[in-house]
Amino acid sequence: MRSRWLEDEAAAYVARYGPEWGEDLALRTYSARLLGADSDLVLHGGGNTSVKTRWTNLLGDEVEAIFVKASGADMASIEPWGYCGLDLSYLRRLSVLSALDDETMVDQLRTHLLHADSPTPSIETLVHAFLPAKFIDHTHADAILALTNRDDGERAVREALGDDVILLPYVTPGFKLALAVAMAVKARPSAWGIVLAHHGVLTWGETARDSYELMINLVSRAERFVEENRLQLGAPPAAAHPAVVTQPEAQTLSQERLNQVAPVLRGLLAGRTGDRDRPYRRVILKLLKSPEVLACLNAPGAREIFVSPPLTTDHLIRTKPLPLWVDDLPYGEPAEVRIRLEMAVREYCREYEAYLGRHASDMPAGVEPFDPQPRVVMVPGLGVFCAGPDVKDAAIALDITEHTLAVKHAIKASGGRYLGLPEKELFRMEYRSLQHAKLERADAGLEPGLLGNGGLSAALRGHVALITGAAGAIGTGICRGLLEAGCLVAATDLPGEPLDTLVETMEQDFAGRIMGVPLDVTDPGSIAQAFAQVVAAWGGVDLVVPNAGIALVGALVDLSLDRYRKLEQVNVEGTLLVLAEAARLFKRQATGGDIVLVSTKNVFAPGAEFGAYSSTKAAAHQLARVASLELAADDVRVNMVAPDAVFACGDRRSGLWAEVGPGRMKARGLDQAGLEAYYRNRNLLKVQVTAAHVANAILFFATRQTPTTGATIPVDGGLPDATPR
Ligand code: ZN
């Protein structure tokens, strides 16, 4: 591990933040970011750093202050305001207490902040406060865990780090740990670092650079030890294992297997809500499948090595105490694959509930157990599925899992046997109220809610939508509406610039929540491939919006049969194929689903010289109604929205109206503005229908506000002749 410290970068931080926040906090921010930039040191909010300094209050008194990283703040992107300032003299005095429970400790921290609106400081704040050094760095470095989480951990730490580094046996984080660290360091003034078994490492210094360089030095020694031992034993690095398949045929095979397994697994990992309308708490599934990971899973004894407790207790809320292991799936027989997965997940849930039962007396009051489903599922040959309530959570679980596999593999390769914490401690930490508070903060306001009441922003959290014809005007509005409701969106359309720019634009507001997928609705292979691509990225699909459609103007007597057939192909067959693919996927997931067809007011009130469009859309509409009959037993709801003319969404003009508009304008002697006014004035409410209106109607169905299927919402400002009857 190399030092990333650069003096001119450090100076730039001081220049940027110093005037407002002071030099100490500017440098603190800089070196915390250096630590955060290295995923082998800290992951997603893990670890913490602090600086002790002086602070002048409103009355001009200078007081001793400590600035500690806020709980959950990510060091990779931390800003000076990601630190909480606290009254250091008071906090130091807490060290005379013999015990302090979590709730009182948090109360004491919060009531001794320098600013009332400060975030909650890290639960390890007192560790920092009780040590005398000015700068303190704390990481959960992989290489340190590779030394401590093994049967011969003590020997490994000694050999790797020498006698000037203290090794503290595991102590539950919080007040107890703060006292233990302070006492150990006081007893060994010559020590320059302290290793916390099954947890991490602390270094300190009088300057930000000193503390940081000691951290790099210490972790580098640990890395060298593991590597040298591996070389002595002649064990291969993870990447060198055989059976890593990269040939194109093998890749196709693994894609097929993934497409078979992921939706079934995603359905099985969904939590149950007890709500008849929204019965599942869906998860997003990310697959970890690097060659190194596949090699690890194929290594001899892999199950025993990897089905073991996490590296540190802060991973528990993401990974649960143990992963699920499923091997030898009979891929040729989908029904059998499902049975095997069902049995494995059921067994895992049973064991998790038994674990809850064994530790029921330690369960804090008022804490609800988590869903019993696994969060990490290892499938040799395929990879590791990592689940989370949203895509960001699943990605965090994936990063943690990747590092966990590497550390456990390194321990094995360097001659050790992995040793996790005992079950009792795992339970205590999994259900510790502070850990719950962390998750709850992340979840704040994210429960499925009714439209309005501020609930819409996350009503579809954990849901995946696939929209066809997404790059058009209505499609764009639908994508935005669904993204705003917390959905992940697969925007599909013919490949090209309109689709690319749609995704680029939406990425700016909804980074990582939209993917562009090329799809031609007239080609069954392309549809299957597009669905498979979404399954590979997020695990499945919950909402399908068949929206692709094309138009043609012409009187029946003049219609070209060829051009009519083109409309049939896109509007009718395209809808049929998308409905069928959606139905097949929903069946594999077995958690219901929603389909909302973008129909048209023309189904109910056709226009003259618009026979091709009106009749083909009527057929599509009827197909959706039939789908509502056929899929209800699987809790799949199929509904329709029927908009009148939507000309544009922002600066994205409607392709359909590019086809239809000129003829309509000519026939009525109008220009573009006149045409839009004409459509506005023909409805009862005198409103211009927008793509956002269409999106709102879709959201009404997708959020399951009423027990409705096979129904149509007109989105037309009120057209008496188009009222469904
Ligand atoms: Zn820690």
Side-chain angles (χ1 to χ4, degrees), residues 124-454:
E124 282 155 352
T125 294
L126 293 181
V127 173
H128 294 261
F130 292 172
L131 287 179
K134 184 175 174 73
F135 286 88
I136 296 177
D137 291 2
H138 168 49
T139 70
H140 299 170
D142 286 352
I144 297 298
L145 297 164
L147 296 181
T148 69
N149 294 21
R150 50 198 286 161
D151 50 354
D152 57 348
E154 203 175 329
R155 178 196 67 84
V157 172
R158 285 280 148 267
E159 267 182 43
L161 306 178
D163 290 333
D164 288 339
V165 172
I166 301 167
L167 170 62
L168 192 71
Y170 179 81
V171 178
T172 303
F175 183 73
K176 257 193 210 164
L177 177 64
L179 277 189
V181 169
M183 274 161 56
V185 173
K186 201 172 171 191
R188 287 261 295 282
S190 63
W192 56 277
I194 179 164
V195 167
L196 314 175
H198 296 278
H199 180 164
V201 57
L202 286 147
T203 54
W204 50 83
E206 284 313 298
T207 67
R209 182 166 191 173
D210 283 352
S211 183
Y212 171 77
E213 299 284 3
L214 286 176
M215 176 65 70
I216 301 303
N217 180 337
L218 200 150
V219 173
S220 301
R221 290 186 192 202
E223 283 179 340
R224 271 198 303 275
F225 172 87
V226 172
E227 183 58 13
E228 279 164 12
N229 276 270
R230 182 186 70 74
L231 290 174
Q232 265 179 24
L233 290 168
H241 277 290
V244 178
V245 282
T246 50
Q247 301 87 341
E249 317 85 73
Q251 272 181 356
T252 310
L253 186 68
S254 111
Q255 272 169 14
E256 275 170 23
R257 290 175 171 184
L258 171 62
N259 199 29
Q260 206 180 112
V261 171
V264 176
L265 198 53
R266 179 166 182 257
L268 293 170
L269 298 192
R272 307 296 189 268
T273 63
D275 172 352
R276 175 67 182 80
D277 285 313
R278 291 171 283 260
Y280 298 100
R281 244 189 308 277
R282 292 181 165 92
V283 295
I284 301 302
L285 270 193
K286 305 265 319 162
L287 181 66
L288 176 59
K289 55 164 185 172
S290 63
E292 290 84 355
V293 165
L294 291 175
C296 273
L297 297 183
N298 278 335
R303 181 179 189 148
E304 192 201 336
I305 298 167
F306 298 118
V307 181
S308 53
L311 302 180
T312 65
T313 56
D314 64 329
H315 296 173
L316 279 163
I317 50 175
R318 302 292 182 184
T319 62
K320 293 226 162 123
L322 292 174
L324 169 64
W325 181 277
V326 187
D327 53 14
D328 294 331
L329 285 172
Y331 290 105
E333 305 159 59
E336 194 57 32
V337 167
R338 165 177 290 282
I339 291 171
R340 293 283 298 281
L341 289 170
E342 274 174 358
M343 279 168 50
V345 172
R346 206 179 308 132
E347 178 60 22
Y348 183 98
C349 293
R350 242 198 317 267
E351 280 177 19
Y352 186 80
E353 274 156 3
Y355 153 83
L356 292 181
R358 285 196 292 280
H359 302 283
S361 58
D362 284 344
M363 182 68 99
V367 171
E368 281 292 308
F370 295 117
D371 294 329
Q373 284 85 357
R375 288 285 168 265
V376 176
V377 181
M378 301 180 166
V379 185
L382 213 50
V384 186
F385 291 95
C386 302
D390 204 348
V391 68
K392 190 164 168 254
D393 306 278
I396 291 176
L398 180 138
D399 284 346
I400 288 175
T401 302
E402 188 167 24
H403 283 263
T404 303
L405 288 169
V407 169
K408 290 178 179 177
H409 172 82
I411 290 173
K412 169 81 177 158
S414 60
R417 192 170 64 80
Y418 183 77
L419 206 61
L421 285 170
E423 188 181 284
K424 196 172 168 60
E425 182 63 14
L426 295 175
F427 180 86
R428 269 200 4 220
M429 291 305 288
E430 190 181 3
Y431 282 97
R432 192 181 195 191
S433 50
L434 289 177
Q435 298 290 0
H436 274 240
K438 227 187 227 181
L439 274 191
E440 271 159 25
R441 263 199 312 284
D443 283 357
L446 295 181
E447 278 306 296
L450 296 175
L451 290 174
N453 297 334

Side-chain angles (χ1 to χ4, degrees), residues 550-554 558-569 612 616 659:
I550 54 173
L552 173 66
V553 178
D558 299 327
L559 272 186
S560 132
L561 195 54
D562 279 350
R563 295 190 66 191
Y564 185 85
R565 283 178 178 154
K566 185 69 196 158
L567 259 71
E568 277 188 311
Q569 236 192 333
T616 53
E659 170 77 31

Side-chain angles (χ1 to χ4, degrees), residues 601 603-605 621 642 711-716 719-725:
K601 78 97 194 169
V603 168
F604 307 97
H621 189 98
T712 305
I713 297 182
V715 187
D716 57 13
L719 293 173
D721 62 338
T723 303
R725 54 180 79 91

